[in-house]
Amino acid sequence: MKYFRFIFFPVLVFLFAGNVYGVTATDQSGHSEYLSAKIIEQLSNVSVPFVKDGRMVFTAEGKYRYAGIAFSHEGYRKIHTFERIIHKDQNGNVIVDKNGREENFLFFVTQVPENTNSVEYRLVIDGLWTTDPMNPESTTDMETGLKVSTLKVPYIDSREKVGTENNRVNFVYQGEEGRSISLSGTFNNWDPFMYTLKETRPGFYEFSLPLPPGTYYYTYMDGGIRLEDKTNPDKVYTKDGRIASVIVVQN
């Protein structure tokens, strides 16, 4: 006999869908300065879920009072609340449709999880669990027997990306082999020549740098060309409008 491990999904009733925004909002993880804020600024309406700059973006129609999302890689134990964007004109006035209702929609942005190429999830909309109405892709969870939505994501190997260990930051870049890749950031006043990564295997470059606790911005360089760290989803726009990656060194 085959046994299933059932996960209890409670019926929840919510009165409001979280914070309301005009054109901007903060990232769900709290990093308001990161690139996710730029992604949110570019959202204009509901769409199929998509991945951009290491973030997964989900939307829901504004007619719902509440929308939340739970992921299989978190064991469906946590419900992340969508937030609401209300359309406004250039004068800051709320835009209404022909029926006099506010034009708005709901959204949620979060980082792509590591070591997977597909994310399974369910939504809770106005207290009821459901698959994502905006996503035609779904499957059946073999452990619970429930139908869940799926989203293909780029694979991020946790062993082959920037990371910290013993107050040292291990920088990793993957690209074309035989290049001269250097490291530039706030820790060396953006000097593009001070630190050069070593090609430890074809197309795989590494450099280890001791840094005191703090938050640092960085980018890789190939000659005069800036190279984004595509394995690091945490990013920020610098004062000159360019994208830099972010690394936090803990105590």
Side-chain angles (χ1 to χ4, degrees), residues 80-100:
H80 304 272
T81 299
F82 280 53
E83 298 189 67
R84 189 179 300 273
I85 289 181
I86 296 177
H87 292 303
K88 295 182 179 181
D89 60 23
Q90 294 181 345
N91 297 320
N93 299 316
V94 175
I95 299 174
V96 297
D97 60 23
K98 61 183 180 180
N99 297 316

Side-chain angles (χ1 to χ4, degrees), residues 86-186:
I86 296 177
H87 292 303
K88 295 182 179 181
D89 60 23
Q90 294 181 345
N91 297 320
N93 299 316
V94 175
I95 299 174
V96 297
D97 60 23
K98 61 183 180 180
N99 297 316
R101 293 174 297 193
E102 294 180 342
E103 291 189 3
N104 67 92
F105 65 96
L106 302 166
F107 74 92
F108 178 75
V109 179
T110 190
Q111 293 183 6
V112 172
E114 300 172 354
N115 304 318
T116 185
N117 54 20
S118 180
V119 171
E120 297 179 354
Y121 66 97
R122 299 195 81 204
L123 298 187
V124 54
I125 296 179
D126 290 345
L128 299 177
W129 286 97
T130 180
T131 53
D132 187 349
M134 301 305 301
N135 187 357
E137 303 297 329
S138 64
T139 188
T140 300
D141 188 304
M142 298 306 295
E143 292 187 345
T144 64
L146 296 172
K147 190 175 182 180
V148 297
S149 297
T150 63
L151 175 64
K152 293 187 182 300
V153 297
Y155 190 89
I156 300 176
D157 193 330
S158 61
R159 300 167 301 175
E160 298 186 349
K161 68 171 194 172
V162 64
T164 60
E165 184 177 1
N166 299 326
N167 291 327
R168 298 185 71 90
V169 180
N170 302 311
F171 292 94
V172 176
Y173 175 76
Q174 300 178 54
E176 295 182 9
E177 59 182 282
R179 310 300 297 181
S180 179
I181 306 299
S182 60
L183 175 66
S184 171
T186 52

